[in-house]
Every structure is written in structure tokens, then in C-alpha cells.
Amino acid sequence: MKCPRCVQRIHRAAASCPHCGFTLADAEARFGATEIHILSLTDNAGILPRGDRGRVECAMRKITLRFPQIFLSIYTCTLGEIADVRQFGFWLLNRSVLDDVAADKSNDAGIFLILDPESKAAGMVFGYLLDPFLDEVDTFECLSRAHAHWLEGNYADGILRCLTHLDLVLQKKSQQAKRKPKFFEQKVSGPARLDGSRNASNAAISGGVIAEVKQEVDS
Amino acid sequence: MKWFWLALAAGIHSSAIAQVEATDTPVETAQVELALTEKIVEEPSKFIKVSEEFLPAYLAERPSQFLIDPQNLLGSSTFQERLEFLNYHAGDSSIDLFVYVIGGDQQIPSEIDQQDRLSRFFSTGRPAVVVDYYLGAPQRSVFSLSPSITEAISVAERNRALESSIMQALAKTKPSEQLESFLAQMSIRIYWMERMLAGEAAARDVRPVLTVENRLSAAKLAKSEKLRRLQSLAIQFSPFVALLVFISLIAFIFLRRIKIRARYHFPLFDVEPRLGGANGAGVGAVISFANATISPASQRDQVPDSLHR
């Protein structure tokens, strides 16, 4: 995991970035502290004509149907002087309310694609539900599929390519999670604790830690 | 070969001298030596003459069938097969083909005039090609034409016919197969002689035309035969193939529908919030498409502030 501001690695449960002290409060100071109401496809930058918009919505709907737990959001805007797609994505994930998404789905089940045609940058962030399954490399692969199209200004085509690859990645990860759930659980579980509350599956995976814990308990 | 016979004669000579020395009679010795000297000078023939009892069949009468084998050298079954072929040829061609079968180590006595045989027996009736075929030694074959077509067929053409037939025969090892190949090729050459007789100028240079046409027709025949086989196979198996295609199509559609309708789920795990974000924090990639020279690969390692303006 990396800090949205300094892009340094951070601990999975860090309350603030140990390198720069960044928190959501810093992002709110920059982009606003109030919630914003958006649609799952919000084209503030006006880069998607009506026909392209339909194609993109269709692709989004397919993914949402295939993966009932999650939803997709595409947000295009011109960030101007405050352009920092990574921080903006982090803020949007935590401060947006999607009016066309079922109320039982919170933003931690969302995947947000932010596209800024002015600064020519795009980012992808996702909530905690997908935290064990996706990582930076997966999202980067999705974005890189769209790179050539976006270079030429074909935003809709780029988004479609990006979503197609995302669909494949999610299918693969879901199948892997079905086969090896403990592997993914171990990725997000917290550090070992002496009170024995740590679940057995984590202990089974990290054998070295078990030995250490036992020693400490014995002593 | 000549050297072999000379050496053999010399060997006989020396052994004879040895025998003569043992008798100790000078007059007899001189007579024997004279006789042997004459034997050496005279070229010995390696071929034996055809027995007189068979000569009439070869020379005394016009043959009643196209294959003449009075010595029964071919055997009855081979004789019948070759005779059938010659009969077939006669039905198909205006020039008959008569074949006298002679042993490979035999020869017709030289005092008999074979031209006389041609003029007596083949000057009337249909034109004919007459071949003295030496079984097992096709290279010794003698080729003659009946007087009615001798003028029309050039010597070169005759030689070509004989040469090509001999070549075909020599490609085989068994004498019976040699004769079969010889006759087949000779029959083909006779066909071209017919065309020459019919005055077709285009047929003068027959060799290349023959080869190409034969090959083409053979290829066409083979192709049509293959096509016919394929058609029959296709008709035979088409219901199965159609059924297989239908089942595959149904299976494909079924699997496709299953895949489209498949729903994927992720197990839910408790994740501790980070950086104060209730829904997610600090993960995901950013890519810049400001410059075509900056490829996605060069942006793979996301470094601090690399994408800030």
C-alpha cells in the first residue's frame, strides 16, 4: 500500500502516513469536507458524447451484473491547479455518494476510475472490499490497456479497454479467492497478537510467527 | 565377353596340350593343336539355336494369334494375360502387334531370312509390328514393320519405339513383368505411329507431347477418382458430421450462456481502515497519457510525486 500523497509504502492499518503524515483530513482540506453526490458515470469534463456514453454504461452494467457485490464509477473532471489524481481518487472514494447505486452498497465495494483530460492523467482506486484481491499492479495493467486510446483522445475506447481487462482480472481473482480464501485473508489480517485472538488460518499460513508467539506465551 | 571366351579357349587349349603330351604321338598332337587353333580363331557363339522342332512355329506360317510362344517359355497363365493384352490392343488399334517369344539365351538360326518371313506373312492384311522378344533379355529384341507401313514410319521413330520399350522392360527384374512393361510401352508407341500414319503433323515430335498428355490425363483420372471417393465419404459421413456440428454448436451456446450468466463473488474480510478513510485508502495506480514518449512500461514503478505537475 502506498500513501496517496508521498507514494511511500505504508502499513496496512496505518492511521496516517508515517512518512508525510497524510490522512483523509488533508485531502478534505484540499478538495472539500462535504459529501458530493454523483452518478456512477459522471462526465464533468464532457469527453464522452452520447453514443460513447451508452457504450460505456453498457460495459459498466455488464461488470456490475457479473460481480453483484461491487459497483463501478467513472468520473471525468478537470482538476486544474489542484491536479493530483491519486489524492483526488482517495478523497472521492471516501466522500462521494452515488445516487444511482443501490443503498446497500457502500463505497468500500466500489471501483473508481478518475480521468482528467486536462492534466492527461487517470487513476483507479477501489474500496476495502477488494483490498485483499486487487493491488496496484492490477489497476495499472487496466489503465495501461487504455493508454494508447487516451493518447489519441479516444476516451470511450480507452475506458472500454480498461473495463474489459478489469473484468478479466476480477474473474481471475474471484476464482482464486474461491480456491484459496486463506491466502487472501492472510493479506489483510492484522499482526499477530499475544492474546490468542488471532484466527487459526493466519497462524497456519505464517508458521514463523506461530513459533515466535508460542515462545513468548511460554515465557 | 570376348576376352572371356578367348581365355576359356586358351584354357581348353592348354589342357588339351597337356593331354596330347601324355599320349606321346607327334602327329596326333599336331592335328589336335590345329583343331584347337581353329577353335580359338572362330568366335564362339554364346547363344544356342532354337530347336528345329519349334522353327516352323516361328517361321513357317502366319501366326494365328498375336503371341507366339511354341516353347511355352511364359507359362500358361502369363501367356494368357499377355495374349489378352495383345488382343485388346488389336481391338483398339489399327496396327497389330505380333510378338514372338524366344529364350533369352537362344537365337534364330542365322541362315533363315527373317525379312522373308515379313514379306510372306505380313504383306497382306492389317499393318503390323512384329517383335522378336527374347525373354529375360529385352535388350536383344528385334523390331520389324510390315511392308505396308515401312515407308511411313521413320527409322528414328522405330528406334525410339524400341528403345523406350526396352527401357520400360529393363526397369523391372522379373522376365514376365519385363514383357508386360515392354508390351504396354510398345502399344503406346504404336498409337503414335497410327497418328503419324493419319498424317497429323503435330504428332511428329511425339515424345514430349506423349509424356505431357499422358501425365495430364493420368492426373485428371486420379483426381476425379479421388474426388469421387471423397464425395462418397462425404455422403456416407455427412449425417454424423452434421450431428457433431449441431451438438458442438449447442454445447458452445450453452457454455457461452453459462459464462455470460456466471456470477462471481468475493469473500468478505475485515480490513482495518487506513489514513482515516472509511471506504478505502491509498491503493490503486495512476497513469499519465500526456506524452506519447512516456510509455506505460516506464510508469509501472509509481514513484513519489512522479505524476505531479
Side-chain angles (χ1 to χ4, degrees), chain A residues 2 12 69 80 86 122 128, chain B residues 266 274 277 282 287 302 308-309:
Chain A
K2 288 178 178 174
R12 65 168 69 93
Q69 294 167 289
R86 191 176 279 106
Y128 289 130
Chain B
F266 293 95
R274 293 186 299 272
I287 197 168
Q302 309 259 310
H308 285 192
R309 285 200 305 184

